[in-house]
Amino acid sequence: MIVGIGVDVVQVSRFKAQLERTPALLERLFVPAERGLHVRSLAARFAAKEAIAKALGAPAGMNWQHCQIIKDASGDPQVHVDGSVAEAAAAKGVVHWHLSMSHDGDLATAMVVAER
């Protein structure tokens, strides 16, 4: 059963400029394993994290560090949550995430389905 869906779009150039203006954002938004990625990949991961928050109903107190986008053995993106995000997901009964990310030109997008 679907618990929630979320989608987000990020303009890569705008995201890059924001990271350059506010370098602390990199540490606030991404776990160490994500920080070395190309800005296009960071923008897509940020879109995914936003989509996850939307699928959960944008819970108060969500810590961006408690949500990570990892790749499985075949290279497909997977959602990994812990801490505050895992608590919000558990409260809604989420046991599985479906994630799709894409880039086109200066845009990065992500779509998430949270499933019970």
Side-chain angles (χ1 to χ4, degrees):
M1 171 184 233
I2 294 175
V3 175
I5 60 169
V7 65
D8 197 64
V9 177
V10 174
Q11 185 178 11
V12 176
S13 59
R14 184 173 171 208
F15 186 73
K16 179 181 179 185
Q18 187 64 34
L19 288 174
E20 289 169 351
R21 274 193 307 274
T22 314
L25 276 179
L26 189 65
E27 290 183 17
R28 190 172 112 215
L29 299 175
F30 302 102
V31 300
E34 295 172 312
R35 293 179 194 154
L37 298 171
H38 187 275
V39 71
R40 282 175 38 124
S41 293
L42 290 173
R45 278 167 172 74
F46 180 69
K49 292 179 184 203
E50 283 279 341
I52 290 163
K54 291 173 183 175
L56 292 173
M62 183 177 141
N63 183 327
W64 295 106
Q65 294 291 316
H66 296 164
C67 181
Q68 180 179 3
I69 309 306
I70 59 174
K71 289 189 177 185
D72 66 13
S74 64
D76 293 330
Q78 300 295 317
V79 175
H80 173 76
V81 297
D82 58 23
S84 62
V85 182
E87 290 169 13
K92 292 197 172 262
V94 176
V95 295
H96 190 72
W97 297 96
H98 303 272
L99 168 63
S100 179
M101 299 186 309
S102 184
H103 307 90
D104 187 22
D106 195 36
L107 295 177
T109 187
M111 194 270 192
V112 169
V113 175
E115 185 178 21
R116 185 178 328 208

